[in-house]
Amino acid sequence: RKKNMCNETDFSEYIPNDNSLKWYQLEPNDAKELVIKLVLFVICPFAAFLGSLLRPTSKSSFVIYFLFGILFCWHMDPAGLTEYDDYMGIRDEFLAYKYSMADFLEKFVGYITLQGKERDLYSVFLNAFTRIFSSNFHLYFAIASIPYLIFSLASVRKLTESEEFPRCGIYALLIILLFVIPRDIVTVQNPRYTTAVWISMWGFLNYFDRSKSNWKWYAIPIILSVVLHTGLLPMVLVFLMAMIVPLPVKKIELIFFVSIPFSFFSYELFASINYSFLPSFLSHWIQSYLSDEMYAKLILNKGRSGFFWVTQLFSYISYLVYFLIPIMMMKYKEQILENSEIGKLYPFCILLFSITNFIRMLPTIGVRYFLTIQIMSVYMFFKVFYPMKKNYFWVLLFAWSFPIFLRWFYSGAGLHLVPKNIYFDNLFSLVNDYIL
């Protein structure tokens, strides 16, 4: 039986030793449970989703998560939405541009031969693929949710397949929530970046797991994630650098400490730099994130509510509690490096956190990278410290409490992104609402 990595306390009584509890094996009553959940899903999908949380790591629960996620994205129809306006922009783009698969193939050839100017291939593909069946933009978001759900749930599976992971109860739900909330189902309203993040995350978690014999193949989805969104280019370049010229762990830790002061630098410092010395495509990309429009929206916070200062406070709290995770891990570096599952992920996680510190004050990209490192940090913290320091997950939840309040309740997705009948109507009514 596997003991706590840090060897301070034996928590073996918390760790199930029945192999039948692994998520991918058919549990004794799981087939019957799946039938019950599917029937309940037809009657009330949201009730089936809530019921799945009773045993959140079971195979039947993953089926319901997948189905409810597609239904949620099909049912996106914002009313009075102010904070989460990406949906309207993506919807209008879908209606404005009508692509065929022939158009996509033409743009794809231009992309790989460096002859074309189109870089947003994933949106073109989703547009063209959706129009094979319908011009219904609700179908567009439903289709966009499928790759997102496949890779996000596959990443959750990677987390929960550990023998140490609790099969049910509050900690199972808490850890899964903290793992997925940075790029949750709401973010499918702008599917390019969020899908690319989960593809790359799934790749990272498996590539650095040297207990897998086929770990090298997972470099492919990591590299291909850039095709979905070029915002992942710096992250993938860091990955390639770590893969080709790996740095000693001590140097990576030094880089991490050097990067800390940069996380407090102002936007104005980056905006004042002349980036013309960089390749043109890279300098244009950086300057697009430093535009006056971005500055007004993300730094001056035009249009924000009176919650701005509370939001800023929780931003610093969030940074602090996640910043402490690599610090805590360094104390157990030797044990971590000996672990085949995360020994190679540890230095990459520290290095990626360092890069995030260097760019944290950049509009959009700094926030996005910090959200990405939060996902990886939760995974690493669970692998190293659960259940020894399991109460720290409550600290992480506190750091997320106000963002969750804004995202899902106060003028957020829970109230405005989807009509409220998704929480009580039956499957046929919910699907029929948007068949145009």
Side-chain angles (χ1 to χ4, degrees), residues 71-105:
L71 182 64
F72 184 93
C73 293
W74 164 265
H75 213 253
M76 286 180 178
D77 187 22
L81 199 61
T82 56
E83 290 295 320
Y84 291 85
D85 56 358
D86 281 347
Y87 178 93
M88 282 80 82
I90 300 299
R91 176 199 61 194
D92 293 344
E93 183 180 277
F94 173 79
L95 295 174
Y97 297 96
K98 298 181 179 180
Y99 293 112
S100 65
M101 290 304 294
D103 295 328
F104 167 72
L105 291 175

Side-chain angles (χ1 to χ4, degrees), residues 267-415:
Y267 165 90
E268 288 82 358
L269 175 65
F270 290 97
S272 63
I273 297 174
N274 185 347
Y275 293 95
S276 60
F277 66 93
L278 295 172
S280 59
F281 79 94
L282 191 56
S283 63
H284 291 323
W285 177 74
I286 292 175
Q287 289 169 359
S288 69
Y289 282 101
L290 297 173
S291 64
D292 292 339
E293 182 182 353
M294 283 287 189
Y295 180 80
K297 180 180 179 181
L298 299 172
I299 305 302
L300 298 181
N301 292 279
K302 289 185 178 181
R304 298 283 181 91
S305 70
F307 284 123
F308 166 64
W309 293 111
V310 183
T311 303
Q312 289 295 97
L313 173 63
F314 272 87
S315 174
Y316 286 112
I317 292 174
S318 180
Y319 174 73
L320 175 62
V321 298
Y322 280 95
F323 160 77
L324 291 176
I325 291 178
I327 299 297
M328 288 188 285
M329 288 195 299
M330 288 177 189
K331 182 179 178 182
Y332 302 101
K333 174 175 61 176
E334 298 304 322
Q335 295 97 316
I336 296 172
L337 292 175
E338 292 174 358
N339 185 282
S340 61
E341 292 185 18
I342 59 171
K344 297 293 184 180
L345 182 59
Y346 167 77
F348 179 76
C349 183
I350 301 294
L351 183 60
L352 187 58
F353 209 128
S354 304
I355 301 301
T356 302
N357 285 339
F358 282 123
I359 65 173
R360 200 171 83 88
M361 292 306 293
L362 286 177
T364 306
I365 190 172
V367 174
R368 283 175 168 176
Y369 272 46
F370 183 56
L371 291 171
T372 302
I373 198 63
Q374 286 177 332
I375 299 172
M376 191 175 293
S377 297
V378 168
Y379 181 85
M380 288 294 296
F381 188 84
F382 166 76
K383 284 288 189 178
V384 178
F385 294 111
Y386 186 87
M388 185 181 68
K389 298 181 184 294
K390 63 182 181 180
N391 288 333
Y392 197 75
F393 286 112
W394 293 106
V395 179
L396 298 176
L397 179 64
F398 171 74
W400 264 100
S401 58
F402 192 71
I404 289 174
F405 167 70
L406 291 182
R407 174 178 286 188
W408 283 96
F409 301 102
Y410 178 82
S411 70
L415 293 178

Side-chain angles (χ1 to χ4, degrees), residues 66 69-70 73-74 76 90 122-123 125-127 129-130 137-152 185 187-192 194-196 199 228:
F66 182 77
I70 296 174
C73 293
W74 164 265
M76 286 180 178
I90 300 299
Y122 186 58
S123 293
F125 171 77
L126 286 176
N127 188 311
F129 187 77
T130 301
F137 57 84
H138 290 282
L139 181 62
Y140 173 90
F141 289 99
I143 291 175
S145 72
I146 293 174
Y148 162 87
L149 288 164
I150 289 173
F151 289 100
S152 62
I185 192 69
T187 59
V188 178
Q189 62 177 302
N190 194 345
R192 286 195 306 135
T194 196
T195 305
I199 291 176
L228 274 71

Side-chain angles (χ1 to χ4, degrees), residues 116-277:
K117 297 181 179 180
E118 181 63 62
R119 292 293 178 265
D120 192 0
L121 286 179
Y122 186 58
S123 293
V124 175
F125 171 77
L126 286 176
N127 188 311
F129 187 77
T130 301
R131 292 185 184 279
I132 293 175
F133 309 98
S134 171
S135 59
N136 184 347
F137 57 84
H138 290 282
L139 181 62
Y140 173 90
F141 289 99
I143 291 175
S145 72
I146 293 174
Y148 162 87
L149 288 164
I150 289 173
F151 289 100
S152 62
L153 290 177
S155 301
V156 174
R157 178 199 71 183
K158 180 67 177 172
L159 171 71
T160 61
E161 70 183 4
S162 301
E163 290 184 356
E164 293 88 348
F165 198 89
R167 300 300 108 187
C168 58
I170 189 63
Y171 277 100
L173 297 176
L174 177 60
I175 297 168
I176 292 174
L177 170 66
L178 290 169
F179 185 71
V180 302
I181 193 65
R183 294 281 102 187
D184 63 4
I185 192 69
V186 170
T187 59
V188 178
Q189 62 177 302
N190 194 345
R192 286 195 306 135
Y193 189 80
T194 196
T195 305
V197 164
W198 281 116
I199 291 176
S200 63
M201 188 60 61
W202 176 72
F204 289 141
L205 299 184
N206 287 281
Y207 177 85
F208 291 105
D209 181 359
R210 297 308 161 83
S211 67
K212 301 173 71 73
S213 60
N214 61 341
W215 57 268
K216 292 182 180 179
W217 291 102
Y218 290 95
I220 296 175
I222 296 172
I223 296 171
L224 291 181
S225 65
V226 177
V227 177
L228 274 71
H229 201 290
T230 55
L232 269 70
L233 180 60
M235 187 184 303
V236 173
L237 290 177
V238 171
F239 166 73
L240 293 174
M241 181 186 71
M243 185 172 65
I244 299 171
V245 189
L247 294 174
V249 175
K250 287 186 178 180
K251 287 189 177 180
I252 292 176
E253 291 173 342
L254 178 60
I255 293 172
F256 174 77
F257 286 110
V258 170
S259 72
I260 294 173
F262 287 85
S263 67
F264 299 100
F265 282 0
S266 67
Y267 165 90
E268 288 82 358
L269 175 65
F270 290 97
S272 63
I273 297 174
N274 185 347
Y275 293 95
S276 60
F277 66 93

